Amino acid sequence: MEKLEVLGANTLNGQVRISGSKNASLPILAATLLSDKKIELRNLPKVKDIETMLLLLKSLDTKIKYLKNNKSVLIENNKKNKTFVSYSLVKTMRAGILVLGPLLARYSKAKVSLPGGCAIGTRPIDIHLKALSKLGVRYKIAQGYVYANAPKGLVGAKIKFPKISVGATENLIIAASLAKGQTILSNCAIEPEIKDMVNFLNKMGCKIKWIGKRTVKILGVKNLDEVNYKIMPDRIEAGTYLIAAALTKGKIEILGINPKIIRTEIDILKKIGAKIKLKKNHITIQGNKKIKNINIKTAPYPGFPTDLQAQMMVLLCKADSRSVISEKIFENRFMHVSELNRMGAKIKIKSNKAIIEGNTKFEGAELMATDLRASVSLILAALTSKSKSRINRIYHLDRGYEQIEIKLKKIGAKIKRLS
Ligand code: EPZ
């Protein structure tokens, strides 16, 4: 089992180039099942979740050719795909459920493993299934699988999501793209990754239009075109490095990210005291000696992202007084708290609130990662402590951060991977 060794208390300075977005790549890869034409996808991040999704597509007989050291792929579904997705592929990567919509749209049937829970919550898919049934899908759940079919094919409908869900919005937009007639989806999630997926689908010949802040209209089409598409940059990776600069009071230039999609995070970091300069496609941040406290609530985009909650918690441990973070998206996304407390943090949990005392001096420790974003929060804390830390189970980290120790080393971190 690989682990990371971190020796901290140094300031991070230099340039970081942001990789392609994991959470845009996953729905876009799933959506390639809609088409029997050639699709080239560029700027895929080289992370485990993308490898798993490509393996999943291969298990459905998708033809995949890797180009340019795996950051680009050529995809083709020119013959009938299988429509069975096994538990072994979905259990480690819940986004596997995103192939349900495209398989039903193209083949009117699918047997897909239920995602199962993970460290941050139970990850149900009830919103996906209820909405799909409004497009004419009949389903049953047995032995941990969803058996779904649409005897008359998918037919467009008006659907209002009962709760904002990124995955359900993605699954339904993809499914409706080939449904007969028009579909209107309201109360949609509007994360930039969803907009990127819609841009990809429209470039492939779909007819999708945002007609309200959280309302989208989809006209089903019959034929799709060849497409060559570049995936957007990863805003959560960018936010992580912004927080790292504020935490270590360094100066970091973040290249290849449009500041508009992380407006909320930038505004919060400015309130905390960081100096930030914005350009069209890059951000320069200078951490401040004094870190002011602030209370934060996670929320669907454009609110503060739950995927940056653990990282922000580490920064607020260093603030000049108490802060409170309310986690409003997932029911159990405080797994990093006990590990941070073992490093000397003073964080108390009261239902979905974390009360964070400031002025923490993190000490190095033997640590265990529990989920993707929690793992990176342990690295951030370790970067500020004078003594050595070892972080185990870093396979969680490798699911979503491309070459993190290489990028961190380049800006001055003392970090190495031990196999
Ligand atoms: C996506 O997960 C992201 N994953 C998550 O990022 C992110 O944290 C999350 O959106 C919220 O922004 C990908 O994009 C691959 P949801 P998703 O459906 O789609 C409940 C990471 O670290 N819900 O918006 O699963 C659900 O339990 C990952 O990159 C239902 O109740 O999130 C949660 O409490 C972690 N029923 C809330 O809604 C459903 O049918 C939001 O979930 C679906 C969701």
Side-chain angles (χ1 to χ4, degrees):
M1 285 271 231
E2 291 192 315
K3 51 183 80 168
L4 281 178
E5 189 175 88
V6 184
L7 191 56
N10 47 0
T11 310
L12 299 183
N13 289 300
Q15 286 190 340
V16 174
R17 177 155 294 282
I18 298 304
S19 303
S21 162
K22 167 179 84 80
N23 290 352
S25 302
L26 291 170
I28 287 174
L29 282 166
T32 59
L33 285 164
L34 291 175
S35 169
D36 59 358
K37 301 286 183 357
K38 273 202 184 69
I39 297 170
E40 182 172 340
L41 293 179
R42 287 171 288 121
N43 197 36
L44 287 170
K46 285 172 74 177
V47 296
K48 197 86 188 82
D49 272 7
I50 301 306
E51 263 171 59
T52 309
M53 181 58 97
L54 289 169
L55 269 179
L56 189 157
L57 293 177
K58 274 190 205 155
S59 76
L60 299 175
D61 285 347
T62 298
K63 278 207 325 249
I64 292 174
K65 200 161 153 263
Y66 292 92
L67 315 167
K68 266 182 255 130
N69 76 340
N70 294 7
K71 290 179 94 81
S72 299
V73 285
L74 204 54
I75 288 181
E76 208 168 350
N77 292 296
N78 54 3
K79 64 184 190 42
K80 210 161 157 26
N81 291 97
K82 289 198 179 87
T83 56
F84 164 68
V85 181
S86 77
Y87 173 64
S88 59
L89 283 162
V90 179
K91 72 175 186 311
T92 53
M93 196 224 16
R94 271 146 302 282
I97 196 66
L98 293 175
V99 302
L100 184 61
L103 288 175
L104 286 164
R106 180 113 178 264
Y107 300 105
S108 301
K109 70 181 170 73
K111 176 185 171 190
V112 180
S113 165
L114 282 168
C118 70
I120 62 178
T122 51
R123 313 302 292 272
I125 57 164
D126 54 311
I127 300 174
H128 299 235
L129 296 174
K130 284 199 190 86
L132 285 168
S133 61
K134 293 190 180 130
L135 294 183
V137 173
R138 297 192 322 207
Y139 66 87
K140 73 173 168 65
I141 291 178
Q143 300 101 25
Y145 281 84
V146 181
Y147 294 75
N149 66 25
K152 299 197 187 70
L154 299 189
V155 180
K158 268 182 85 124
I159 301 168
K160 182 174 171 37
F161 290 112
K163 173 176 178 182
I164 293 174
S165 158
V166 170
T169 302
E170 290 165 343
N171 239 332
L172 269 290
I173 288 176
I174 298 172
S177 295
L178 299 188
K180 284 182 216 64
Q182 173 177 290
T183 297
I184 307 261
L185 302 175
S186 49
N187 200 28
C188 294
I190 52 173
E191 271 64 4
E193 295 75 27
I194 295 176
K195 305 278 176 134
D196 203 40
M197 178 195 79
V198 167
N199 294 343
F200 162 75
L201 288 169
N202 282 337
K203 209 169 165 203
M204 203 161 62
C206 296
K207 291 191 173 19
I208 305 167
K209 195 159 170 286
W210 294 95
I211 56 173
K213 184 173 182 251
R214 291 187 182 276
T215 306
V216 66
K217 179 170 79 173
I218 302 123
L219 289 176
V221 294
K222 282 205 171 38
N223 303 309
L224 297 172
D225 314 320
E226 287 196 5
V227 68
N228 183 323
Y229 192 78
K230 182 177 181 196
I231 304 281
M232 69 174 277
D234 193 307
R235 68 188 162 101
I236 302 300
E237 184 192 20
T240 303
Y241 285 104
L242 284 172
I243 291 171
L247 183 69
T248 62
K249 306 178 182 13
K251 181 172 183 185
I252 298 184
E253 257 198 297
I254 310 223
L255 308 176
I257 183 84
N258 171 353
K260 281 206 207 84
I261 63 172
I262 48 175
R263 212 37 291 156
T264 304
E265 298 88 318
I266 289 168
D267 293 347
I268 286 176
L269 287 168
K270 281 183 174 167
K271 281 199 190 108
I272 287 179
K275 307 262 172 304
I276 300 180
K277 268 206 225 92
L278 307 177
K279 290 260 174 45
K280 187 167 167 302
N281 217 11
H282 87 257
I283 299 170
T284 306
I285 177 166
Q286 166 66 58
N288 194 30
K289 265 195 193 33
K290 199 161 149 346
I291 297 171
K292 290 195 212 71
N293 70 323
I294 188 169
N295 295 337
I296 289 174
K297 287 186 170 60
T298 63
Y301 191 85
F304 187 82
T306 174
D307 291 349
L308 280 176
Q309 177 254 102
Q311 300 90 315
M312 185 52 85
M313 188 179 285
V314 174
L315 181 56
L316 293 178
C317 286
K318 301 293 246 182
D320 54 1
S321 58
R322 177 183 294 182
S323 308
V324 177
I325 293 185
S326 309
E327 172 52 63
K328 315 280 273 183
I329 304 288
F330 286 107
E331 67 266 30
N332 181 35
R333 200 166 195 174
F334 285 141
M335 301 288 282
H336 41 287
V337 168
S338 48
E339 292 300 274
L340 293 175
N341 284 341
R342 289 182 57 244
M343 296 177 80
K346 293 174 214 55
I347 307 166
K348 278 204 192 64
I349 298 175
K350 284 207 174 76
S351 92
N352 71 335
K353 283 185 178 23
I355 296 111
I356 305 143
E357 298 308 331
N359 305 306
T360 296
K361 286 209 175 348
F362 285 115
E363 285 131 42
E366 185 84 25
L367 301 159
M368 192 170 76
T370 51
D371 68 275
L372 168 56
R373 308 302 173 182
S375 334
V376 86
S377 72
L378 301 181
I379 295 179
L380 293 176
L383 283 172
T384 68
S385 55
K386 288 196 174 46
S387 44
K388 197 182 285 185
S389 295
R390 278 205 175 169
I391 300 162
N392 297 291
R393 299 195 180 177
I394 54 167
Y395 56 85
H396 289 291
L397 201 63
D398 295 334
R399 288 188 43 199
Y401 282 92
E402 182 178 354
Q403 298 191 323
I404 189 158
E405 77 269 18
I406 297 169
K407 291 189 181 185
L408 282 170
K409 220 181 281 181
K410 251 180 76 185
I411 52 176
K414 290 184 207 115
I415 181 169
K416 64 179 179 208
R417 185 176 287 250
L418 307 171
S419 24

